[in-house]
Amino acid sequence: MTTATEFQDVPTTTLADLLGRGQVMGLGIRPLWGPAPRVAGPAYTVACPPGDNLMLHAAIHRAPAGSVVVVESGDLEYALAGGNVCAVAQRRGIAAFVADGVIRDLAEVREMGFPVFARGVVPIPGAKSAVRPLNARVRCGGVAVDAGDVVVADEEGVVVVPAARQEEILAAARARLAREAAESLDAWEAAHRARIDKILAEGGFED
């Protein structure tokens, strides 16, 4: 049985090649400090409407250790979380936040080394009043995310592996990485040159 942590050694670039654009979050979802470690874990999903962060604050006390908390946010005007929320999440073993929104207290978050992939920072916090279900489907960075999907995030971006495909994708990723490791740069260059020249010739390009 494949576990989400087994994706820890798989670059997001490899997963993106296998899964395609639809499973890759938009470039606005970026690590907020660097160098960003690669994180991998099952999604624990949260939906926060505009100006409200109640459910993320609820989630840090409920998400299992190892989870990547994935947040759909209704705006970029109010912070979803700050230093204390990230500290509690880290203490409880949550792997990271991936948020289609903003946080605050970035210096504290960077100092503690808690991975946050989000759209940026803003100093004003949101309200805490809108109750929503946890672990329902959310949309983050343009990708639909269900609870239990595998989320892999690193300095290249964030990729979501559907839970039903995790064994298939992990096996394919490992095979691809093994092939790449066994291929010299000279061999890659020769194959690459041949492939590009063939495409150019078919397109009528002349040197």
Side-chain angles (χ1 to χ4, degrees), residues 9-205:
D9 297 326
V10 182
T12 55
T13 49
T14 300
L15 295 173
D17 288 345
L18 294 169
L19 287 162
R21 185 68 188 85
Q23 295 305 119
V24 179
M25 292 190 186
L27 61 84
I29 312 296
R30 304 296 299 168
L32 295 188
W33 54 267
R38 182 176 302 124
V39 297
Y44 188 93
T45 57
V46 179
C48 292
D52 199 284
N53 61 27
L54 174 65
M55 297 316 299
L56 176 54
H57 287 239
I60 65 169
H61 303 291
R62 292 165 174 78
S67 300
V68 175
V69 174
V70 179
V71 190
E72 177 180 324
S73 175
D75 68 85
L76 303 178
E77 305 297 322
Y78 296 90
L80 293 163
N84 285 344
V85 168
C86 291
V88 171
Q90 184 181 55
R91 186 162 65 181
R92 296 199 64 255
I94 291 169
F97 288 167
V98 173
D100 201 338
V102 294
I103 70 160
R104 67 178 192 165
D105 301 329
L106 179 58
E108 292 178 36
V109 176
R110 181 173 55 238
E111 178 71 20
M112 71 181 73
F114 182 68
V116 177
F117 298 78
R119 291 195 179 272
V121 293
V122 72
I124 188 167
K128 294 169 183 61
S129 59
V131 176
R132 297 287 188 274
L134 291 168
N135 271 335
R137 173 173 282 196
V138 299
R139 195 159 188 85
C140 184
V143 179
V145 185
D146 290 309
D149 287 349
V150 178
V151 180
V152 183
D154 59 22
E155 63 185 1
E156 303 280 353
V158 185
V159 180
V160 180
V161 182
R165 298 188 65 193
Q166 65 178 23
E167 290 190 23
E168 165 208 344
I169 295 300
L170 182 62
R174 285 175 170 168
R176 187 186 186 100
L177 290 169
R179 286 196 306 272
E180 291 173 353
E183 184 179 43
S184 70
L185 180 58
D186 287 343
W188 183 92
E189 181 182 7
H192 180 263
R193 176 71 184 266
R195 181 166 65 92
I196 297 302
D197 286 351
K198 181 175 183 291
I199 296 169
L200 290 173
E202 290 170 351
F205 178 82

